Structure formats: structure tokens, C-alpha cells
Amino acid sequence: MVARTAREILRWLESLYLTYPIVVPKWDLSNGYAYAEILHAYFPNEISMFTYLNGRSLNSRLSNWSLIKQFIARKKIPISNEFIDATVHGKDGGAERLLEQTYELFTNKKAYIDPTNERTDDFTDYSYQRNLHNFERAHTSKSLKNNLKVTELITDPSDAYRTKKSADILYQSKLDREKSRVDNPDRFDIKPTLAERCLRKPLRPDSTAQDWYIKSFDSRSRSATSTTVKSNSFKQQSRETSADVLKKSSMSQHHNDKGLIQADDNNLFYKEIVLKQHSVPLSDLMQINQS
């Protein structure tokens, strides 16, 4: 997982005639010795290379970068400590961001960065993983290994830090899996749910909310009428004795006397009640359309 460095920065590094050329910034800048040489090229009388150790151990890294941080603070050079910490631990994109910021400060120029190789501020391998195929991407345990370095756990051994970092990495890997499932439904054989299949169709561009309201009102009225017709036909087809028929007719007459309305398609008042029960206020639809 090698992040690309701008060509202007590579030319700038070659012009400094460093003792050890920077080929892969992620590894060549981790111990701080090469970065101390960059500072020595601009401040030869204030940076002594004899005080820096060219080693790979964690103690050599922390010792060199502590001296560099003291010099940066004394000279008031606006170098980000986040970039330095990411470079010490070998995080993805940390050394490249540090070189870009140093190049801009010392040369007063801005390097061109390809938009396809933009790096995130959280120093993870997300930009690298998204360019791979689904079967090439890292799984959960590999994501933890790539984004949580051993040196981070040594320098900050608190359980709260480990828990937070692990939870963030696991949550990001979960989001990546969900996104890959949404982007490639055929690969995972995802079938739409019942709620997704029952969604209403959107309004056509040439129609308005009032037109939709009138059409839906007519369809609801037809459905309500068909329901009453079916219920009446079912009642007529049911086999009932004459005594039960007389009993029910007397009960319906008794209810009518109390003021109840009997289901009858020829009754206009009954039709109006059914339509009102299945209708939606037009003002609500107009407010939704306006918003």
C-alpha cells in the first residue's frame, strides 16, 4: 500500500542531495533521520546530524522526532503534530502529508495532487481499499492490522485508547461492507424487501399534487364500493334459514330506528361517509408538494 508522491516533491528531494534517498516515504521517514537531513539542508548551522540516530527501533524514532519537535517549536515552523505522529507509526498517508506541508512551507509552492489519489485525514487505508475489487479487499482482522499499529499500542497502552481505535476501525469496515452490498446487489444475491417493493411510484413531471389527489380519490371510492358490493353478495349467497333472516331483518330495523345507517350502495349519504373514511385532506398533500 504505497501512496503516491507528487513529482514536484520528488524533484525537490533530489535537489537536497540527501545521504539516504527517500524512495518510500512511509518507511524512509519513520525514524526521522531523513527528515532531519531535510531540515539540515535549510538550517545547516542549527541542525547537527551527529545528535540523530539512524535506527529502526521505536526508541530511535521517538528520540529523533522529539529533537525535531523541539526545533520546530523553537523556530515556530507550522508543522502539524498529527502528520508527525502518523509518520512515526507508519500510518498510511502520514509521511506524504508531512512532505507536502514541508514542501509548501520551504518552497512557497503547492504541489499538484492527483484527485484519484487523495488521502483521508484519518490516515487509514480506505482510499487504497476502495480502488480494489471486492474479492481483493481486506477483511475485518486485516483492517485492524493495517490501521492499528503496534507502536501506537506501545506508546499509548491505555485500554480506553485501544477500545476506541478498534471500535472506529470495526465500524468503518462495517460501513464499507454495507456499501459494497448496496453497490453490488447481484454479487450478494440481495432481494428487495416487502417495504421496498411496496413503495409508491413518484409523481410524473407533468402532474401535480391536485391531479394525484383526484385520481387517488376516485380509486379509493371504487375500492370502497367494490368492498361493499362483495360483502352484500356474500350475504346474499349465504344459506340462512327463514327464521334467521326474519331475526336479522328485525334487528336491522331495530338499529335503523336507533339512527344507524345500513350499508346500501343506493344511499347517497352512506357513499359520502365511505368516501370520507378513505380520503386524504388535499391541504396535506399541497403542503408536502410545496415543501
Side-chain angles (χ1 to χ4, degrees), residues 30-60:
S30 60
N31 62 349
Y33 188 85
Y35 193 79
E37 282 195 322
I38 295 175
L39 297 178
H40 176 72
Y42 288 91
F43 306 96
N45 298 327
E46 301 182 36
I47 295 291
S48 178
M49 297 306 300
F50 295 103
T51 58
Y52 294 91
L53 302 174
N54 189 12
R56 293 292 181 180
S57 63
L58 180 60
N59 293 330
S60 299

Side-chain angles (χ1 to χ4, degrees), residues 231-252:
S231 63
N232 292 334
S233 62
F234 178 77
K235 289 180 181 179
Q236 292 176 1
Q237 292 177 1
S238 62
R239 297 178 180 179
E240 298 176 345
T241 59
S242 58
D244 294 336
V245 172
L246 293 175
K247 183 178 180 181
K248 288 186 178 182
S249 62
S250 61
M251 290 177 63
S252 61

Side-chain angles (χ1 to χ4, degrees), residues 5 9-10 12-23 25 28-30 32-45 47 49 52 65 68 71-72 77 79 87 95-96 98-107:
T5 308
I9 296 177
L10 295 177
W12 169 64
L13 293 175
E14 290 178 356
S15 65
L16 299 178
Y17 298 102
L18 303 177
T19 305
Y20 299 96
I22 299 176
V23 181
D28 297 335
L29 288 176
S30 60
Y33 188 85
Y35 193 79
E37 282 195 322
I38 295 175
L39 297 178
H40 176 72
Y42 288 91
F43 306 96
N45 298 327
I47 295 291
M49 297 306 300
Y52 294 91
W65 282 107
I68 292 173
F71 176 78
I72 289 173
I77 302 175
I79 299 295
T87 305
E96 288 76 10
L98 180 63
L99 283 178
E100 292 170 7
Q101 189 177 35
T102 307
Y103 174 78
E104 293 177 5
L105 291 173
F106 289 166
T107 63

Side-chain angles (χ1 to χ4, degrees), residues 29-30 35 61 64-66 68-70 72 77-91 94-95 97-98 101-102 123:
L29 288 176
S30 60
Y35 193 79
R61 296 184 189 182
N64 292 340
W65 282 107
S66 64
I68 292 173
K69 286 182 179 180
Q70 293 176 7
I72 289 173
I77 302 175
I79 299 295
S80 176
N81 288 327
E82 296 180 357
F83 297 163
I84 294 176
D85 294 338
T87 305
V88 171
H89 300 300
K91 306 281 287 186
R97 297 291 295 274
L98 180 63
Q101 189 177 35
T102 307
F123 306 111

